[in-house]
Amino acid sequence: MATKQQRATRLEERIEELRAEIDGIIDERVTKIAIQSPGVPPGVIRNLLTARAPACRCAQYIELCGREAKNPD
């Protein structure tokens, strides 16, 4: 049986993996928009994409994907 410390460590690893995956998805979206908006810094685009969601990356992903489903490119 896994100890409490082992479970916590594994959960932390899964969270970090998920956060990295979400960052990659957001970065892809930023790149797409940056191509269509030359001169706008990627940091500004990223802030605009994630501003409607709390600082939690999971909430940002859900918000971004929800908007994308409603308005596909």
Side-chain angles (χ1 to χ4, degrees):
M1 177 179 262
T3 66
K4 190 174 187 177
Q5 179 61 34
Q6 288 172 328
R7 284 192 305 257
T9 300
R10 179 65 190 134
L11 181 59
E12 289 170 7
E13 290 170 0
R14 289 179 24 218
I15 290 169
E16 288 302 320
E17 291 168 1
L18 185 57
R19 290 175 73 176
E21 185 176 344
I22 291 168
D23 279 340
I25 291 167
I26 293 172
D27 288 342
E28 288 175 16
R29 185 77 171 140
V30 167
T31 301
K32 280 183 181 179
I33 293 171
I35 291 169
Q36 299 170 359
S37 306
V40 180
V44 171
I45 296 170
R46 184 180 183 89
N47 286 342
L48 290 171
L49 286 174
T50 60
R52 291 190 182 125
C56 170
R57 286 188 183 106
C58 296
Q60 291 172 351
Y61 172 79
I62 291 168
E63 177 70 24
L64 182 61
C65 288
R67 278 189 274 154
E68 191 172 90
K70 291 177 187 174
N71 302 312
D73 291 337

